[in-house]
Amino acid sequence: MTAPFVPPEGFSISLGFADPWDAALATAFYPEGMPPEWQANYLVLMTDAVVLNPTSAAFAEVWTACREAPKPVQGVWYGGDLPADAADLSVSLPLPLLTWVTGQEWTPGASVHGATIGLLAPGLSPRALRDALEAFARQAPAAPCALLFTGGAAAVPLLDQTRTLIELLGW
């Protein structure tokens, strides 16, 4: 067994879902019978990174939930450049926003270097998951980063497995 990779000082990783409103993911993630108006708060409580998509119907609820969360949540701005009032938006969150530009995110096997946003899909063995986490950390800057999970309902256990593995690695 190889020694675990130690990310550089300043690197941190937050975990969340790329599309928390995907119907299959929502069915698996949100408790049965949970009113829709509670889902944004639940998402913020159960994840560390939350995608802020200004075109989403739930944007206002998610934004409010991030601002009022009892713990810092990494906001991931989806859709390219931040709006002109981004400075006003960012000061209302405890952590600086990360910008997610489609096509510039890291994925396993990608040649992307310096990405702060990574996407991970289900179907990895425990060893492959560890390798993917280390590969993401190796290419990332020594800064806050977010790893977002895709794959509908299968993303829920992947989030849990990744959270456990990060804890075991001591990150």
Side-chain angles (χ1 to χ4, degrees):
M1 179 169 196
T2 61
F5 169 75
V6 177
E9 190 172 327
F11 171 84
S12 64
I13 189 166
S14 299
L15 307 177
F17 298 114
D19 184 6
W21 312 115
D22 171 81
L25 182 131
T27 299
F29 179 66
Y30 299 107
E32 187 176 337
M34 176 178 273
E37 60 271 14
W38 293 4
Q39 290 180 352
N41 287 323
Y42 185 78
L43 175 68
V44 166
L45 289 173
M46 300 304 289
T47 62
D48 304 315
V50 177
V51 174
L52 298 166
N53 182 346
T55 63
S56 167
F59 175 72
E61 291 85 5
V62 173
W63 185 260
T64 299
C66 285
R67 282 193 338 260
E68 297 174 355
K71 63 177 177 98
V73 177
Q74 181 64 66
V76 178
W77 188 264
Y78 179 79
D81 295 334
L82 294 171
D85 62 351
D88 296 336
L89 294 175
S90 292
V91 297
S92 64
L93 294 178
L95 301 173
L97 289 170
L98 297 177
T99 304
W100 176 10
V101 178
T102 303
Q104 295 180 9
E105 65 277 299
W106 174 89
T107 55
S111 61
V112 174
H113 186 76
T116 57
I117 307 294
L119 298 178
L120 201 56
L124 300 171
S125 69
R127 176 64 191 178
L129 178 58
R130 177 182 169 188
D131 290 345
L133 284 172
E134 290 180 357
F136 178 66
R138 285 185 203 300
Q139 69 78 47
C145 296
L147 189 58
L148 306 173
F149 301 99
T150 63
V156 177
L158 181 59
L159 172 82
D160 293 336
Q161 291 168 343
T162 305
R163 189 176 282 144
T164 300
L165 184 53
I166 287 171
E167 189 175 307
L168 288 171
L169 290 170
W171 296 6

